[in-house]
Amino acid sequence: MKNLFLIASFAVAVVVLAACSSKMSNTSVAYSKINPLETKVDSVLKLMTLEEKVGQLNQYNGFWEITGPTPKEGQAAKKYEDLKKGLVGSMLNVKGVKDVRALQKIAVEETRLGIPLLFGFDVIHGYKTISPIPLAEAASWDMAEIKKSAAMAAEEAASVGLNWTFAPMVDIARDARWGRVMEGSGEDPYLGSQIAVARIQGFQGEDLKARNTILACAKHFAGYAFAESGRDYNTVDIGESTLQNIVFPPFKASVEAGVRTFMNSFNELNGIPATGNKYLQRQILKGDWKFDGFVVSDWGSINEMIAHGYAKDNKQAAEIAINAGSDMDMESSAYIEHLADLVKEGKVKESDIDDAARRILKVKFELGLFDNPYLYCDENYEKETVGKKAFHDAVLEMAKKSIVLLKNEKELLPLKKSGQKFVLIGALADDKTSPLGSWRIAADDETAVSVLEGMQSYKGNQLSYVKGANVAEGRTQFVWETKINTTDKSGFPAAIAAAKGADVVVMVLGEHGLQSGEGRSRTDIGLPGVQQELLEEVYKVNPNIVLVLNNGRPLAIPWADDHVPAIVEAWQLGTQSGNAIAQVLYGDYNPSGKLPMTFPRNVGQVPIYYNYKNTGRPVMNEPESVFWSHYIDEKNTPLYPFGYGLSYTQFEYSDLELDQKSFSGDGSIEVSVNVKNTGKYAGKEVVQLYIRDIIASVTRPVKELKGFEMIELQPNETKKVRFIINKKTIEFYTAQSKWEAEEGDFNVFVGGSSVKTIDANFQYNN
Ligand code: NOJ
């Protein structure tokens, strides 16, 4: 190892030896002039040439040949040369201890200064052991379980040599056509902020130097989910109120939770690409929020400013991006090729390069890479850790908690455990790859437990399986031509025949796991292919259907809601999917999930979300004319609202009480409500609190989630749930362009979904 480590350690030893604790917490790193970490970073920076500093800002995609024959020509060879010259700060998409170690060895042992690399990877919902897609996890509303899931993913990823995940995606999304809704926490900024914090705490843990923790990355900053017409990468044009009140909160919460990295986004925001956006990165993120980690660009997004029509070439793109506060260049090669020249030409300040390099070096110190660059490189530990049983148990728990019961008439569910004849229909029922969902790059195909396997583990009934119809043609992860639809109905007769004599038909329908995710926007969000027809044909011969949905986004399924007696939202639940679904269907787990995103009746209603504005012509009960805000061919209301989800038991809300009718200044009100389990099963309920600010300097939504609590009740048991409302609860970004509480009248609503609530009023006086 090179002498740099000695120099860095020496500097620290001299300055504040006692403070140099290896237990340095990622969330409590306070920077000041005497901070030893700052001193360490400066001691390294002082040794670096301009080119080496720029090198720290350069991130390359992995080149696998490094552990085999040395790349001879082209891009890989250039990357390899740059790596040896110390002109690479980070790699992405390198996986496995062997490959990571090989590259780290070059960085540490062959470059002049021996600065270790960061290894980033999209650990979005697990590394090899896959947990439910993030939208599904969000449906659990269970912060402890979500944190655990992220911690488990971090442990598995760190064991293969990785030290950085490009997660969580904290984009608030209102448009189900956008394929990446599967990767986020849905439509609500309050829930989204809580989940962002849980995930960051899970990934980063208490100690970034521990070998089971990795860096988190809040992405995509900002506005990415507001792409016009739900088409990925499309233009984003939103006003300041939406940006501040809806888009920013989870990002701000991420900074407050100590997230160490941010990723900017592909989209333009109000005419300026996010990657070159000074307002976002310098003013808001690094200025107002005092973010002291670093910002990585999205893949090639610096170069994409040319296509946006914002930079004339890669060199100007580099100039714009660094000046706007993008610290690391992912795969544009814009920084490595042009930044040093731009400094020499006076177009970029060297102090800005220093600032970016300093941020990156600081994070490397925080990870402990300067103490031990091979911390994450232990092949035995890798073998013991990847896919271990505890991970499978954890993803099963998470999967069960992510399921949402949408409909259950005639108590069709839970299923009886014996004496029944069941038929399972649908290609997805027998699919061991689709449940892994999108964004699971390291997982192996065919490794999920299918619904068929899960159901087969219950032996008391007669169970047969018929495919009926495929979902799509082609299913390879990165094949662009993955067909959304199939027209083949040749399997219908067998499915219909099998359904005829069954007590219950369980149909597993929906999207293949690769029909959502990046670059997978849809204009039709119904059941793909011929599945809708299959459902209707089977229904004609046997209406006793339990529909199990697999999907990465809200679907528009009005026919199913009208006809099918039981509907279970099972998303893409990961490695243990089939076991989780079977346990819920058989009642060994009583479903407790609540939707984190509104389901429309019709794609034409999209974007549809619960926290909409009232308009000047709101819904009329008995309209006398057409002149109010509505459609002439569809209701305004959703099929299933935000916060909605049933249980096998029932809950009754009563006695909503406020301990006072008004508060002022820093005072508060306690809201309490009684929740009773009136059904016959023990069950969990997510009690939700919403408010409405009736008149404000900027119009406010008809409802805003401000609190929630999960409780568990035995049959007949009642619990009192309490919430506190204070100034923070009612603050928003006002017409004065700041976050503040305005005085006036408010409604408070409490219930088991955003629409089924009981309410009261209160007042706030300044
Ligand atoms: C592009 C995606 O937008 C981003 O989320 C991801 O982290 C990078 N590619 C790296 O794979």
Side-chain angles (χ1 to χ4, degrees), residues 716-733:
N716 262 320
E717 190 185 352
T718 301
K719 266 187 190 156
K720 192 177 270 304
V721 178
R722 296 183 164 83
F723 296 99
I724 297 292
I725 290 178
N726 57 26
K727 208 161 120 184
K728 192 125 192 65
T729 321
I730 59 172
E731 273 177 5
F732 69 102
Y733 194 75

Side-chain angles (χ1 to χ4, degrees), residues 92-93 121-122 124 166-167 169 180 183 219-220 224 233 263-264 266 297-299 330 439 441 518:
L92 77 151
N93 289 339
F121 201 85
D122 290 287
I124 306 300
F166 304 125
M169 182 184 102
R180 297 193 81 169
E183 211 182 321
K219 70 187 189 186
H220 305 86
Y224 185 33
Y233 320 120
M263 186 185 290
N264 55 36
F266 288 126
S297 80
D298 204 341
W299 181 293
M330 182 194 287
W439 279 122
I441 328 175
E518 187 177 349

Side-chain angles (χ1 to χ4, degrees), residues 233-236 265-269 271-275 301-311:
Y233 320 120
N234 204 5
T235 303
V236 176
S265 54
F266 288 126
N267 57 285
E268 68 160 72
L269 176 66
I272 301 183
T275 307
S301 69
I302 296 182
N303 185 270
E304 285 178 18
M305 286 198 283
I306 303 169
H308 273 293
Y310 198 66

Side-chain angles (χ1 to χ4, degrees), residues 119-141:
F119 288 91
F121 201 85
D122 290 287
V123 185
I124 306 300
H125 52 116
Y127 176 74
K128 180 96 52 195
T129 314
I130 300 300
S131 48
I133 57 170
L135 186 65
E137 288 196 358
S140 73
W141 295 55

Side-chain angles (χ1 to χ4, degrees), residues 737-754:
S737 299
K738 57 180 179 196
W739 279 80
E740 59 188 336
E742 286 182 351
E743 47 179 30
D745 294 320
F746 294 79
N747 298 133
V748 54
F749 311 85
V750 179
S753 88
S754 61

Side-chain angles (χ1 to χ4, degrees), residues 687-707:
V687 183
Q688 302 157 41
L689 175 108
Y690 298 85
I691 62 156
R692 177 175 182 180
D693 186 342
I694 296 167
I695 307 290
S697 66
V698 173
T699 59
R700 306 299 300 138
V702 295
K703 251 173 212 173
E704 288 178 87
L705 181 72
K706 291 295 176 181

Side-chain angles (χ1 to χ4, degrees), residues 431-603:
D431 199 314
K432 291 171 65 62
T433 298
S434 174
L436 301 172
S438 209
W439 279 122
R440 42 83 187 176
I441 328 175
D444 302 314
D445 279 359
E446 305 284 321
T447 51
V449 177
S450 70
V451 181
L452 178 58
E453 289 168 331
M455 299 263 312
Q456 278 168 341
S457 66
Y458 286 82
K459 307 285 181 206
N461 293 312
Q462 193 187 321
L463 177 72
S464 57
Y465 168 70
V466 193
K467 180 160 78 172
N470 279 327
V471 177
E473 293 164 22
R475 53 161 61 171
T476 320
Q477 188 164 10
F478 292 114
V479 173
W480 292 111
E481 62 273 18
T482 296
K483 298 282 189 299
I484 181 77
N485 287 331
T486 175
T487 50
D488 181 5
K489 294 194 232 168
S490 58
F492 278 28
I496 291 164
K500 267 183 190 154
D503 291 306
V504 177
V505 183
V506 178
M507 296 188 74
V508 185
L509 306 178
E511 297 178 311
H512 185 272
L514 298 175
Q515 287 176 332
S516 59
E518 187 177 349
R520 289 159 170 100
S521 296
R522 294 180 63 194
T523 58
D524 172 356
I525 54 171
L527 298 171
V530 290
Q531 294 179 98
Q532 179 64 36
E533 278 178 74
L534 177 66
L535 177 63
E536 292 181 24
E537 290 304 315
V538 170
Y539 181 85
K540 280 182 194 156
V541 299
N542 190 340
N544 257 3
I545 295 177
V546 174
L547 172 60
V548 176
L549 293 171
N550 282 181
N551 42 306
R553 53 158 68 76
L555 295 177
I557 45 153
W559 187 93
D561 181 62
D562 271 350
H563 297 84
V564 175
I567 307 179
V568 175
E569 176 51 74
W571 317 102
Q572 282 120 13
L573 292 174
T575 306
Q576 287 289 330
S577 173
N579 285 334
I581 292 168
Q583 288 180 30
V584 164
L585 295 183
Y586 274 109
D588 285 338
Y589 184 83
N590 186 355
S592 51
K594 301 276 187 180
L595 294 178
M597 203 170 168
T598 303
F599 276 44
R601 298 172 186 278
N602 180 320
V603 70

